[in-house]
Amino acid sequence: MAANREADQSKRRLEVGVERVLIDEVALRARLVEMGTAISAEYVGKDLLLVAVLKGSVLFLADLMRQISIPHEIDFMATSSYGAGATSSGVVRILKDLNKPIEGRHVLIVEDIIDSGNTLAYLMGLLAARNPTSLQIVTLLDKPDRREVDIHVAWTGFSIPNEFVIGYGLDYNERYRNLPYIGVLKPEIYAQSDAGSPVG
Ligand code: IMP
Ligand code: MG
């Protein structure tokens, strides 16, 4: 049908700029089943709150929570790092805070990717000061080579090399979030822009 063909073509257009698929849908799904099972076991009988960091982690959250078999709630935070440049500075601005207090609750931060670690180090400090009973991190992706601050990550989906990735929630200039897989962005895409190396 014409409409289907159009949809296919627009999908293909979006994929312009993707150098290669790093983690496909099948691998993502298999890993999320494992992570959901592990998290369910860890928090059984506990008051679990998943705190997702907008916007990159929304697809991960949506799929992960369907693999968590125990009752839980979700909430969202939005942050932006101050300053231009290739890496996040560690000075983080809160664009949206949690809707409810977290004192006495078991909080699990759901992140898309840990790069320098600055964003999460800041968030951990902020949330720890609100006295949750426990505070841990689950991240879909980790770029360990880029770490600047030491943070403990309880669950990591995939450790990846130091390349700029997009898809499955992750963006470059707000685009590519809808790709169903994690792909590597062609370096010439961000080399063209004035900003230099991308900051997600
Ligand atoms: P950090 O504070 O350096 O750990 O920055 C983490 C944030 O940078 C992530 O939450 C992403 O929003 C963004 N980021 C880092 N690396 C990538 C990437 O390869 N693709 C897309 N976004 C990224
Ligand atoms: Mg993020």
Side-chain angles (χ1 to χ4, degrees):
M1 262 162 55
N4 278 348
R5 216 174 307 128
E6 238 168 66
D8 278 357
Q9 276 169 1
S10 77
K11 236 184 239 165
R12 240 173 267 133
R13 267 201 298 280
L14 278 174
E15 295 181 22
V16 168
V18 178
E19 187 163 83
R20 67 179 194 282
V21 175
L22 190 64
I23 306 166
D24 69 16
E25 292 169 77
V26 174
L28 282 169
R29 192 184 152 74
R31 187 70 185 112
L32 261 71
V33 170
E34 291 174 355
M35 293 170 93
T37 303
I39 290 167
S40 304
E42 171 91 8
Y43 290 99
V44 70
K46 293 176 180 165
D47 178 25
L48 173 62
L49 176 70
L50 303 180
V51 170
V53 186
L54 294 171
K55 304 171 211 170
S57 60
V58 289
L59 275 72
F60 177 41
L61 172 75
D63 285 344
L64 180 67
M65 66 187 288
R66 277 178 277 197
Q67 301 301 333
I68 298 179
S69 57
I70 58 166
H72 61 278
E73 294 177 24
I74 61 171
D75 205 344
F76 296 92
M77 290 193 80
T79 62
S80 98
S81 42
Y82 275 114
T87 53
S88 68
S89 55
V91 184
V92 176
R93 194 158 55 108
I94 302 298
L95 301 178
K96 186 221 169 292
D97 206 336
L98 298 173
N99 286 354
K100 290 205 266 177
I102 55 170
E103 186 165 357
R105 307 199 64 181
H106 291 272
V107 175
L108 180 58
I109 300 177
V110 179
E111 243 306 19
D112 50 359
I113 184 165
I114 308 180
D115 191 35
S116 70
N118 285 321
T119 309
L120 269 186
Y122 178 85
L123 270 186
M124 287 291 275
L126 186 87
L127 296 184
R130 299 179 187 179
N131 297 317
T133 300
S134 71
L135 181 61
Q136 299 210 84
I137 298 168
V138 57
T139 186
L140 178 63
L141 304 174
D142 185 10
K143 289 183 190 171
D145 294 351
R146 300 258 305 170
R147 193 76 82 260
E148 290 171 12
V149 288
D150 229 11
I151 42 175
H152 175 73
V153 182
W155 294 278
T156 300
F158 301 88
S159 284
I160 62 168
N162 182 17
E163 290 179 290
F164 197 80
V165 291
I166 44 163
Y168 198 68
L170 290 148
D171 73 303
Y172 170 63
N173 280 349
E174 296 298 326
R175 298 295 173 90
Y176 302 101
R177 294 193 197 275
N178 56 317
L179 299 181
Y181 53 80
I182 303 284
V184 176
L185 187 68
K186 280 185 182 158
E188 60 259 39
I189 299 285
Y190 54 83
Q192 285 162 7
S193 91
D194 294 340
S197 290
V199 186

